[in-house]
Amino acid sequence: MSEAEALFGGGVAVITGAGAGIGAGLARHAALELGMTVVLADVDTAAVAALRAELEEAGAGAVDVACDVRDPGALERLAERTVAEVGPVRLLVNNAGVEQFGYLWDTPVANWERLVAINVNGVFHGIRAFLPRMLAEPGRSWVWNLSSIGGVGAAPLQAPYIMSKHAVLALTECLHQEVELAGHAGHVHVQAVLPGAVASDIFESAGAVEDGDIAAAEEHRQAMLKVKAQAMDPLDAARVFFDQAAAGEFYLTSQPFVLDAMAARADTLVHRRAPVLLQGEFTVPAE
């Protein structure tokens, strides 16, 4: 039995944005390889219903729930229902997120507000709804918040998304300290997830711009789709995240080049350099 299976096996995992990409990969690994019961939360009800059916057919325990993380009441109802009907939550994954392409000054206000409501507020609503219940349970539990390699860097034509992932990383680092300050460090474990290139549909569904330089926004989308073609399978990423979490890591990273990005960010800050504009094709670094 692996360390991850020993820690997480038999527990309940709640995953927002579970219908596709990293969320679905985490759900499949948790249910099929670790023996967890997974609560699949997403606004895409058809996607999580199909995933629940897939997992149940394989003999795993799964529940699908329609949930919009922009609504704090929806997260509260999800937490209440999960504890009452499924059991205490061992792992909360605040994963739901969206992208936005285009120059910041061209970004529609509605797109900006939607992205912040999902990527940042959604994480906060999840913590507000679930963490008090997790703190009240005697067993150990884990909170994972999805940042990104973008949370330790800068990139043009993705400013809203990059900003949101910096915010989630800072929120998670502060939350880690607060849990320790409140005397729960050995009880509730807070960890930041920083995927590099992991396959998902986030680029296809990303917001665009309605006015201004529409072509630049679309060109950047196409560049990022080339990254997706080289990206890591979500199930493989899930295995890495769970193994690192079980080992007690705080920053859960999918690929070694995420660590390189973290080191580059630290060097930029220490030497007070302006962010460097990278030229050429977007590619996934060789392992």
Side-chain angles (χ1 to χ4, degrees), residues 42-251:
D42 206 305
V43 292
D44 188 340
T45 55
V48 286
L51 181 54
R52 173 193 52 76
E54 172 195 322
L55 296 176
E56 287 184 337
E57 186 175 354
V63 177
D64 61 298
V65 181
C67 183
D68 187 340
V69 299
R70 294 175 291 183
D71 178 5
L75 270 300
E76 185 64 30
R77 291 189 294 274
L78 177 63
E80 184 176 0
R81 177 183 172 187
T82 298
V83 174
E85 299 179 13
V86 187
V89 176
R90 187 167 302 173
L91 173 64
L92 169 66
V93 184
N94 290 306
N95 166 72
V98 294
E99 253 277 19
Q100 171 68 36
F101 293 130
Y103 286 109
L104 185 59
W105 53 86
D106 291 337
T107 301
V109 171
N111 288 20
W112 171 274
E113 292 179 342
R114 175 175 178 266
L115 183 144
V116 172
I118 295 172
N119 292 16
V120 181
N121 296 352
V123 175
F124 170 68
H125 296 327
I127 291 165
R128 281 274 301 175
F130 281 91
L131 192 56
R133 291 173 167 88
M134 297 166 79
L135 292 172
E137 288 292 334
R140 296 173 70 189
S141 58
W142 284 258
V143 176
W144 294 1
N145 295 329
L146 266 288
S147 180
S148 165
I149 187 173
V152 293
L157 299 162
Q158 290 175 265
Y161 177 81
I162 297 294
M163 174 279 302
S164 74
K165 293 307 178 179
H166 275 259
V168 170
L169 183 58
L171 180 153
T172 308
E173 291 169 336
C174 293
L175 182 63
H176 174 80
Q177 294 178 330
E178 290 183 1
V179 166
E180 182 176 355
L181 181 64
H184 295 284
H187 174 206
V188 175
H189 307 272
V190 177
Q191 294 164 314
V193 184
L194 285 80
V198 178
S200 76
D201 296 330
I202 196 169
F203 300 139
E204 289 91 337
S205 61
V209 298
E210 301 164 357
D211 301 299
D213 199 335
I214 297 173
E218 187 55 33
E219 182 180 358
H220 196 70
R221 183 199 305 274
Q222 295 306 316
M224 297 309 293
L225 287 172
K226 291 181 182 179
V227 172
K228 176 183 175 179
Q230 309 169 64
M232 188 178 197
D233 184 276
L235 194 55
D236 292 333
R239 293 188 184 100
V240 172
F241 294 144
F242 271 101
D243 286 345
Q244 291 176 358
E249 299 288 341
F250 175 77
Y251 300 101

Side-chain angles (χ1 to χ4, degrees), residues 244-260:
Q244 291 176 358
E249 299 288 341
F250 175 77
Y251 300 101
L252 311 183
T253 59
S254 56
Q255 292 124 314
F257 66 77
V258 179
L259 301 178
D260 296 337

